[in-house]
Amino acid sequence: MDQGKISAGQLTLLIMSFTIGSWVVLPTGIQAWQNLWLIMFMGLGTGLLFAYLSLFLFRRFPGKTLFEIHERVYGPVLGKFISLCFLWFFLQTGGGTLAIFKTLLRSTVFTATPDLAILVPLILILVYGCRRGIEVIARSNQLLIMSTVGLVLVSILLVVNIFNPENLLPFFNLPFSEVIWTSISLAVFPFGQNVLFMMILPRVNRWQKVNGAVLKGMIGAGLVLSTIQFLAVGVLGKSGQILVFPTYEFYRMINIAQFLTRLELIPLLNFLTMGFIKTILCLYALAVGTAQVFNLRTYRPLALPFGLFLLLVAERIFPSISEHMRYLEEVQTFFGLIFSLLLPMMTLGIALLRGLPRRRMAP
Amino acid sequence: MILLVVGVFLLLFLWEAPGLVAKEYWRELAVFTILLLIGLVFSLLLVGGVELPYIESFWIKVFAKVGKALTPGS
Amino acid sequence: MFDFLRRKLRLAHLRKGKPAPRTHRDLSPDLKTNLTAIRRELGASPDLIIRCLKLGSGAEGTGALLFIDGLIDQQVVNRDVIFPLLNGVKRGKFQDGDDLLKYLAQNVLAVGEVKKEPQFGPVVEALLEGETILLLDGHDEALLLSTKGWEKRAINEPDAERIILGPHDGFTENLRTNTAMLRRKITDPGLHFEEMKLGRRTRTGVVIAYLKGVVNEKLVEEVRARLKRVNLDMVLDANYLNEFISDAPLSLFPTVTFTERPDVVAAKLLEGRVAIFVDGTPVVNTVPALFVESFQSPDDYNFPFYYATFIRWFRYLSFFLGVLSPALFVALATYHQELIPTSLLITINAATEGTPFPLAVEMVMMGAVFEIIREAGIRLARPVGQTISIVGALVIGEAAVTAGLVGAPTIIVTATTAITTFVVPDLLGPGIYLRLIYTILAGVLGAYGILIGLLFTLLHLVSLRSFGTPYLSPLAPISAGDFKDVIVRAPIWALGTRPRMIGWPRPQRQPIGFPPSGDEGEEGEAEDDG
């Protein structure tokens, strides 16, 4: 197993990157477009609620990954089965992220580049990074998230001349049920996917600090996403709602004195690094999780086959972006709820019923 | 094309396997090989032009059916 | 493939070499036997001088002095060894029955260090290191007299690390001179030196230097352990050890730094690092090495902080330009033309029209030409070297454009690269490779290719360690407290703590200060004893 340790601060930043991940280029809850930046905070609140349920589970079993908890709570057979379900969830999350960025790149800048030419190099470095362990992932993320946050701060300045406050109106014109529904779907994606960190929490050197780190990370991510959404609405107005990749489109509009123009490539690549971190964490969780399911001594050899799986899934997850949008609208929320809320809650409930853990384990 | 895919998988196997054999990690080798074989099968299906269902389309269908079953009065 | 190489290397590290065949014989009491044995060992080397002496009276007084011509100080040997030997015994209070050898050592010989040695092997070794050997007939022990002295280069300013302000002395090839120069900089009893001999045949003196009380003891142990497993037959330069003890011998990036400047070594020891001196070279290794160290120059601390900060930023900028500009240009001009302002785009297109090769190939080609010109310029004598650069710049650059072989923008970018690369000489080697890789990636995949290359480099850099310290710290893992000497160069009075990853055993360097006030305020005094 990976012996590396990360600090609580690094966990915070990992959670930020993971949450920003792919949502930043392909927002969900598009029906609430103009108010999305506000509903984001309601989603964040609900998402935090989900996260704290899982954290409660973690604090009962400190030092155990989700899969180890499954085996203790459900017994080896059922526990492994539920773990396998989660493996599928990680696979689909990672593959989906890859597919979204692939589609984004191919439909905007790299129109002539074949799929494989985009995916294969990325998969190679994903596998390389995954084999190096969580320490390396966390450290490289520190630099990448800093540049992303920097970019968001700079973009606030860059849109000053094209930002139209009137675009934000009418303010809060949604029916209440719509607001609730959107905030739940936001709580599931992007925030709910953080259930993946249940595989990584035991690698934090001080498990007592985990709660604060998760809180900070999710709030940080919520702020970044909300800011970008706010800017996008202000710049694009109502028409942004019909665009597939609104974030990309709004960076296209930046024009400072005819000199700083067509900057979209920089944010595009920058957000790609967030997707990179998201995918590499999925890959890491897949490899480590499988290693734990089969009681292996090392997860490293599994990084390569799972990298391949990610490639296959990314190729075969949705035929077109419109199908993906339909999926986001009709399925994503239910599908995500199973993994980010129902299953952890069930595990927690059974653990409480069975009075597990019997003895308080040392961290 | 099929040959190429098989060749790539063989290369990947040869890249990883010797280290595992040297360390006598047999379980790891077994899991690695099985995963790689699954990957090979699906890759060959894709390359061979077999129409695998798209994952998200599949879920859309499943959830539509579940939704219909759950909606009262249908 | 790499795994295979790594395994080989690990084997090389582990394999214990057979100790050099050394004679464990004792010296014989018979002078003649000893002399023949030494002659046989050294062959008929003309620089071995054997001076026979007649001391005192009787048969006991026959002796011989042996030394290697050129390794000893003639004056010392004549004045302080031979002269007293010839006169002192007769004049002194030597009585028959006393141990003559002991008497000589205590009363006659006027040299600083005198040792008794009964064994043959160490005697020959000492002889080869420049000591003078005194053998007496009837004694099975030899006296080793420390008379080392040979021709040395004077202290010069190091050519490779020039600075504008600050001390201009550099290390020399002589180990003792070098350690003495360090002692002159740090008059602290905590400055410890540990000597060992490395290289089975060269038996080069290697000294580990550290500042006790500041350094992390584990680090010293690690350095010691790694040096012990060096099993080479020759150590001619610091780099011989470098490649042996570095954490990632196959990485492009240097995980051991080197310098020729005593002030740099002193500063690094005071940060908690360990220095490794090698006899016979002015280059001194320091570990652990950090990526950001390459961007720090001694001049940063000799100039006002605001100016030093500014210069440091330009060093960062230059490095990234030097590594990335060809790749960026290729990516922009081939794949992302919409990002270039229209008027500039027209110019570029006009210039590159009709050139036979793709832009990436042009770039790699001109890069290779530049490297060749550079290498030719270094190896030749200085006046000829300048000729080469003129020929290179004018003839190849001009002519290639005029002949339509490459576009003018390519030349401009190559020239920018050439200049910017030299701003950070430590990373010259990695820079060349990174530039090449990024250019090729940009030629294939555009900006996405560059991103892939950058991510890979990042993952690699982040996974490197140098003697336990993460190579990319304090950037990743972030330790914000150290940014004061990385992102900026804070004023000296604000540099109150050592780098956290290296100097953590004793983090406080000085009272963490605020701007010292002009009038001698109470606060400044009060904080002094912190």
Side-chain angles (χ1 to χ4, degrees), chain A residues 28-159:
Chain A
T28 52
I30 212 91
Q31 65 276 10
W33 170 249
Q34 270 170 314
N35 300 304
L36 203 50
W37 62 275
L38 257 182
I39 299 176
M40 179 61 73
F41 291 109
M42 297 180 67
L44 173 63
T46 324
L48 277 173
L49 205 70
F50 294 0
Y52 271 81
L53 277 173
S54 296
L55 276 177
F56 191 59
L57 183 61
F58 172 70
R59 289 182 79 93
R60 286 191 77 83
F61 298 89
K64 298 261 174 233
T65 66
L66 185 60
F67 288 10
E68 285 165 329
I69 297 173
H70 283 157
E71 296 213 10
R72 277 187 68 88
V73 173
Y74 297 107
V77 181
L78 189 60
K80 279 191 200 322
F81 174 73
I82 292 179
S83 299
L84 283 179
C85 294
F86 268 96
L87 282 181
W88 175 258
F89 176 64
F90 299 154
L91 190 62
Q92 202 181 320
T93 310
T97 311
L98 277 183
I100 288 166
F101 277 100
K102 177 200 76 182
T103 317
L104 173 61
L105 287 174
R106 291 215 47 195
S107 60
T108 51
V109 186
F110 300 93
T111 40
T113 317
D115 267 8
L116 283 183
I118 287 180
L119 285 177
V120 170
L122 195 57
I123 296 278
L124 286 180
I125 54 171
L126 281 170
V127 171
Y128 174 79
C130 179
R131 290 174 63 109
R132 289 287 161 124
I134 191 72
E135 254 183 27
V136 165
I137 300 172
R139 282 192 209 144
S140 37
N141 176 57
Q142 285 182 315
L143 289 179
L144 297 177
I145 186 75
M146 278 202 295
S147 75
T148 304
V149 172
L151 173 86
V152 171
L153 294 180
V154 170
S155 44
I156 295 175
L157 296 178
L158 288 179
V159 298

Side-chain angles (χ1 to χ4, degrees), chain B:
Chain B
M1 194 62 198
I2 289 172
L3 274 181
L4 187 74
V5 171
V6 174
V8 166
F9 273 83
L10 208 63
L11 209 71
L12 295 180
F13 183 77
L14 289 179
W15 175 278
E16 194 69 67
L20 293 175
V21 173
K23 275 191 257 173
E24 302 192 341
Y25 278 12
W26 305 120
R27 275 179 82 87
E28 287 77 2
L29 185 64
V31 175
F32 169 75
T33 316
I34 291 168
L35 287 176
L36 212 58
L37 281 178
I38 298 173
L40 178 64
V41 169
F42 278 100
S43 310
L44 286 178
L45 286 179
L46 271 186
V47 170
V50 179
E51 275 297 309
L52 295 173
Y54 282 95
I55 293 162
E56 292 190 344
S57 315
F58 171 75
W59 285 124
I60 290 173
K61 265 181 222 151
V62 170
F63 275 80
K65 273 191 189 137
V66 172
K68 215 177 256 171
L70 289 182
T71 326
S74 57

Side-chain angles (χ1 to χ4, degrees), chain C residues 168-190:
Chain C
H168 287 281
D169 51 345
F171 285 126
T172 69
E173 281 77 5
N174 189 20
L175 185 61
R176 262 307 141 255
T177 318
N178 292 351
T179 52
M181 284 168 89
L182 195 60
R183 282 248 190 246
R184 292 269 298 115
K185 302 267 179 203
I186 307 176
T187 319
D188 187 296

Side-chain angles (χ1 to χ4, degrees), chain C residues 218-268:
Chain C
K218 284 222 177 91
L219 173 65
V220 184
E221 255 164 54
E222 180 66 28
V223 173
R224 233 178 263 143
R226 288 200 196 176
L227 282 176
K228 284 225 175 77
R229 67 181 191 213
V230 170
N231 182 19
L232 296 166
D233 65 339
M234 60 173 181
V235 177
L236 298 181
D237 181 65
N239 194 45
Y240 283 66
L241 299 180
N242 236 346
E243 297 197 3
F244 228 95
I245 63 174
S246 74
D247 290 66
L250 292 178
S251 173
L252 286 179
F253 291 89
T255 44
V256 177
T257 43
F258 50 88
T259 179
E260 286 187 45
R261 307 185 54 87
D263 50 335
V264 172
V265 172
K268 291 196 169 163

Side-chain angles (χ1 to χ4, degrees), chain A residues 108 247-255 261-264:
Chain A
T108 51
T247 313
Y248 174 77
E249 296 296 334
F250 114 75
Y251 274 104
R252 265 167 76 101
M253 309 288 282
I254 289 176
N255 182 349
T261 55
R262 306 297 307 270
L263 294 177
E264 68 271 13

